Amino acid sequence: MSIDKQEIEQLINKQIATVERKIKSLKELTQAIAPDDAIGRVSRMDAINNKSVNEAALRQSETKLQKLHEALERINDDDFGVCVQCHGPIQPGRIVLMPESRKCMKCAK
């Protein structure tokens, strides 16, 4: 099975839009937690913990977005879909699921 670069490009663009929406939502969730007398100590600790989790998710999403943009830039390169480690083909299913991946499943382990 060969890869259709036009389909992969559409898929990448859809993933970019999804990740951008997620980043926007996460940025709202990671706003500073203002000291508020109405919030209890435990609730405030929960809010701070949730903020930390959301900040980690935000960093991860921003990294994925960057990699998706990089994949989009190199989609027409001759080596797109070729593993950077073993130089063999990256499995089409992996490209569909993770178009930003630069390694085949074997080398990614």
Side-chain angles (χ1 to χ4, degrees):
M1 177 180 159
S2 65
I3 57 170
D4 180 349
K5 290 187 179 185
Q6 189 173 7
E7 284 181 35
I8 298 299
E9 184 175 0
Q10 290 173 353
L11 188 138
I12 292 172
N13 283 319
K14 283 182 185 178
Q15 285 190 19
I16 286 172
T18 300
V19 173
E20 285 175 341
R21 284 191 302 273
K22 183 177 182 180
I23 287 172
K24 182 180 177 184
S25 174
L26 287 168
K27 282 184 177 182
E28 291 173 10
L29 293 171
T30 57
Q31 295 299 314
I33 301 166
D36 187 349
D37 294 336
I39 191 170
R41 182 175 172 267
V42 173
S43 295
R44 182 164 173 72
M45 289 172 57
D46 277 345
I48 291 169
N49 185 48
N50 288 341
K51 183 177 184 280
S52 296
V53 170
N54 289 327
E55 286 172 341
L58 176 61
R59 285 189 302 273
Q60 189 177 34
S61 294
E62 288 173 335
T63 299
K64 181 170 179 77
L65 181 64
Q66 179 184 351
K67 288 180 179 182
L68 287 169
H69 280 294
E70 290 169 2
L72 200 55
E73 288 177 13
R74 63 175 205 283
I75 196 164
N76 290 316
D77 293 353
D78 291 337
D79 64 350
F80 183 82
V82 176
C83 178
V84 295
Q85 191 166 334
C86 72
H87 305 289
I90 298 174
Q91 298 79 359
R94 182 168 176 81
I95 293 174
V96 169
L97 291 174
M98 298 176 59
E100 71 276 15
S101 180
R102 308 250 357 229
K103 293 182 180 178
C104 67
M105 287 189 287
K106 180 181 173 190
C107 293
K109 289 182 180 177

